[in-house]
Amino acid sequence: QVQLVESGGGLVQAGGSLRLSCAASRSSFIKTMGWYRQAPGKQRELVALITPTGNTNYADSAKGRFTISGDNAKNTVYLHMNSLKPEDTAVYYCNARVGQFTARDYWGQGTQVTVSS
């Protein structure tokens, strides 16, 4: 079992910045950690992923504006979001994909990000 604790959501004006944090209860066999988001009436979608070695993957909507980073010593990943747009408004969920041989997804409780125009 892996517990994920998120923080950092909130209300921000368009063009502003926010930083999300996600702390995992343990680090063993974590393949990736990352962020997904779900807007009302839409499916959950990938925002960004990072591996323990620092490899990253971004959705096209996040490239150039968002940066994912990790602190392995703290089992924590961060999502730095800049130049926020109203369409970034969503519940953001932390994800950890864990497993030595088969992978299982763990999710945080979600944190609301609202960008006003």
Side-chain angles (χ1 to χ4, degrees), residues 5 10 13 18 28 38 43 56 67 71 73 75 80 85 111:
V5 179
Q13 288 188 332
L18 281 175
S28 53
Q38 188 167 18
Q43 290 188 333
T56 58
T67 302
D71 185 336
N75 298 337
H80 305 259
K85 305 174 182 179
T111 185

Side-chain angles (χ1 to χ4, degrees), residues 1-115:
Q1 285 283 351
V2 177
Q3 282 77 46
L4 302 173
V5 179
E6 303 154 343
S7 61
L11 173 64
V12 65
Q13 288 188 332
S17 299
L18 281 175
R19 188 185 79 163
L20 306 182
S21 301
C22 174
S25 58
R26 66 175 178 87
S27 63
S28 53
F29 304 125
I30 289 181
K31 297 180 180 298
T32 62
M33 287 187 69
W35 294 91
Y36 289 71
R37 68 186 184 187
Q38 188 167 18
K42 294 188 177 182
Q43 290 188 333
R44 191 173 297 189
E45 62 179 8
L46 171 69
V47 178
L49 291 174
I50 189 167
T51 68
T53 56
N55 294 318
T56 58
N57 185 34
Y58 294 92
D60 287 343
S61 60
K63 289 177 181 176
R65 300 188 300 127
F66 296 0
T67 302
I68 190 169
S69 62
D71 185 336
N72 289 339
K74 297 181 179 179
N75 298 337
T76 299
V77 294
Y78 305 96
L79 184 67
H80 305 259
M81 303 185 292
N82 297 318
S83 302
L84 282 161
K85 305 174 182 179
E87 51 263 44
D88 294 317
T89 296
V91 178
Y92 283 69
Y93 295 92
C94 181
N95 169 270
R97 180 154 290 183
V98 182
Q100 186 176 12
F101 302 109
T102 58
R104 175 179 172 178
D105 285 317
Y106 292 88
W107 296 94
Q109 77 280 7
T111 185
Q112 177 70 46
V113 171
T114 302
V115 184

